[in-house]
Amino acid sequence: MQEHLAGSLADYPFVRDSIIDPSPELARLRDSAPIHKVTTSGGGQAWLVTRYADVRAVLGHAAFGTQYPGTIPTADENNLAAGFMFLKDPPEHTRLRRSVSRAFTARRVTVLRERAQAVADGLVADLLAEGPVADLQEGFAYPLPITVISELLGIPEQDRGRFRGWADIVLRSVEGDPAETATAFTDLQRFVLDLVAAKPDGNDLLSDLARQSDQPDGLSRLEIASMAMGLLMAGYVTTASAISHGMLRLFDHPAVLDGLRNGEVPVTGVVEELLRLQDEEVGIQRIAQADIDLCGVRISKGDVVIASRVGANRDPAEFDAPETLRVGGRRSPHLAFGHGIHHCLGAALARMELAVALTTLNTGIPGLRQADPPHEVLWRAEGMDVSIERLPVTW
């Protein structure tokens, strides 16, 4: 089987022509075999796993880590990214996650819900004042999560404009000027380091982490700054994408949309199905820490394995009518937030933001729908997400 798989390699990520649905190549590979060797965009090779049970197995197995065996990235003030928790393996990951979990409480998410609702209400009012055609991406999907992440991290209101400017350049400018991106990243790192140095001064997450820093497994100031940068990377653009992709899918399902508007369809069920169907451009990368058999193939130590959440979440062996937005009945837990020790720490926050966004948009703007051409959607499939740059809507 290994010789056959190595003979013809598909290019990954796959070429696509849909904003909200993956390339048909993903389903074809999933149907033909549980694992395939692919050529990545960087020219290397990796093993692609696409079926639900196998993706769960990879994400939950200690033999698949986030780093190449023997490497331990070390963060410093010029490279906070090396300290991201989702790039760490145990025991370092265990220590970091334990400390952050104590501060990332359900009560904090509840408080943020109130703030998110107030922000969403204000953004809807602004859209109505701008209408009857507005850009949902710029007018709602981007500003809501950047405000929530600012509240979470305790960024003063007067600094949020600069913070968002740097974040937009770093996280949204795949085709931008490399020098501008590098400068913005440096400025953003310095801003975060200075922000953490001033803590604790409030009830935000960073202040809580700073107060816990003298405990046995507390985080250093540098580790807290890395955590702040990681939360920004994981929680800004991805949440914005979930809002815009979710609305595009709902526009194609008027019965579900009407049910959401009149209260007959619970928003929690809609959120879970939208998350299950949310498309990503690149799956979760793991590195084999030792030689191991996977799906009948011998994986060598150091090999890259890509676990496709999209493939898993649309696997017909696990989900009935997997391509259908179905808000009634029971389904298996989706893998939109991963699985295992790296399951997304901010899953509850993301669910809350998406629920607030969908409810507020669709009850606050009756008749909200996608605008007809010439108001076209602008999107691109690069980086970690299928990014929507402009989403014109009307009512």
Side-chain angles (χ1 to χ4, degrees):
M1 181 178 180
Q2 190 142 0
E3 290 183 1
H4 170 70
L5 289 173
S8 178
L9 305 186
D11 291 330
Y12 184 85
F14 308 121
V15 176
R16 60 186 296 138
D17 58 11
S18 170
I19 307 175
I20 59 175
D21 291 313
S23 165
E25 181 73 358
L26 181 62
R28 187 189 70 78
L29 290 181
R30 184 184 56 217
D31 293 343
S32 64
I35 189 169
H36 292 268
K37 184 168 276 190
V38 296
T39 300
T40 65
S41 57
Q45 293 184 359
W47 295 100
L48 178 66
V49 179
T50 57
R51 296 179 182 176
Y52 185 89
D54 299 325
V55 169
R56 276 179 59 96
V58 168
L59 297 181
H61 202 301
F64 297 101
T66 61
Q67 298 294 328
Y68 286 96
T71 63
I72 304 176
T74 302
D76 58 42
E77 293 190 355
N78 297 315
N79 185 17
L80 294 179
F84 289 171
M85 185 172 65
F86 54 80
L87 298 179
K88 299 289 186 179
D89 290 323
E92 187 70 359
H93 173 270
T94 306
R95 181 182 69 86
L96 292 172
R97 185 165 181 117
R98 182 187 302 119
S99 184
V100 178
S101 295
R102 287 200 304 263
F104 209 117
T105 61
R107 180 179 178 277
R108 171 159 279 119
V109 174
T110 299
V111 172
L112 285 172
R113 175 185 286 273
E114 298 177 3
R115 180 61 181 140
Q117 185 62 67
V119 173
D121 289 340
L123 292 173
V124 163
D126 291 342
L127 288 174
L128 289 170
E130 178 186 342
V133 176
D135 178 7
L136 190 66
Q137 192 69 10
E138 188 61 32
F140 191 94
Y142 278 134
L144 177 61
I146 199 66
T147 303
V148 171
I149 202 73
S150 295
E151 296 276 347
L152 175 68
L153 300 179
I155 296 173
E157 192 165 351
Q158 66 269 21
D159 292 331
R160 292 177 185 178
R162 292 189 301 147
F163 177 67
R164 184 188 173 184
W166 291 323
D168 283 349
I169 293 172
V170 171
L171 299 175
R172 295 170 55 187
S173 58
V174 175
E175 297 177 348
D177 180 1
E180 181 187 30
T181 301
T183 298
F185 189 78
T186 299
D187 291 342
L188 180 58
Q189 285 192 128
R190 175 46 54 193
F191 174 82
V192 171
L193 286 164
D194 291 343
L195 179 70
V196 171
K199 301 294 180 180
D201 65 349
N203 298 318
D204 54 273
L205 176 67
L206 300 189
S207 291
D208 279 359
L209 291 174
R211 280 188 285 268
Q212 297 171 8
S213 61
D214 59 349
Q215 298 184 14
D217 59 352
L219 305 187
S220 68
R221 295 282 174 160
L222 185 61
E223 288 172 331
I224 295 172
S226 287
M227 186 66 59
M229 286 286 288
L231 289 169
L232 169 65
M233 297 290 189
Y236 173 29
V237 174
T238 53
T239 303
S241 293
I243 294 170
S244 52
H245 282 77
M247 286 304 305
L248 275 177
R249 195 173 299 279
L250 286 174
F251 290 149
D252 287 338
H253 293 78
V256 176
L257 190 54
D258 288 343
L260 182 62
R261 285 169 173 161
N262 60 32
E264 294 177 358
V265 174
V267 69
T268 52
V270 175
V271 165
E272 293 309 307
E273 274 292 88
L274 292 177
L275 288 169
R276 182 183 68 83
L277 291 168
Q278 168 108 22
D279 191 12
E280 64 187 354
E281 184 60 11
V282 182
I284 299 175
Q285 178 175 293
R286 292 289 182 261
I287 312 296
Q289 304 299 297
D291 294 348
I292 185 172
D293 291 327
L294 176 66
C295 303
V297 170
R298 187 65 169 175
I299 306 296
S300 299
K301 180 179 179 179
D303 279 0
V304 177
V305 178
I306 299 172
S308 172
R309 288 174 293 180
V310 174
N313 284 338
R314 295 171 182 245
D315 184 354
E318 191 66 33
F319 301 98
D320 293 331
E323 305 294 333
T324 303
L325 177 65
R326 195 182 72 188
V327 295
R330 295 180 59 84
R331 285 199 185 275
S332 299
H334 60 72
L335 303 178
F337 295 114
H339 175 67
I341 64 171
H342 288 284
H343 181 272
C344 179
L345 187 66
L349 181 64
R351 285 185 166 104
M352 177 275 287
E353 289 184 66
L354 190 53
V356 167
L358 297 178
T359 301
T360 308
L361 280 170
N362 291 298
T363 58
I365 311 180
L368 181 67
R369 63 188 185 277
Q370 186 176 341
D372 295 327
H375 307 289
E376 296 182 354
V377 179
L378 295 182
W379 64 284
R380 65 184 181 207
E382 297 174 304
M384 288 299 292
D385 291 292
V386 183
S387 177
I388 295 176
E389 297 298 306
R390 186 179 72 197
L391 178 52
V393 293
T394 190
W395 49 88

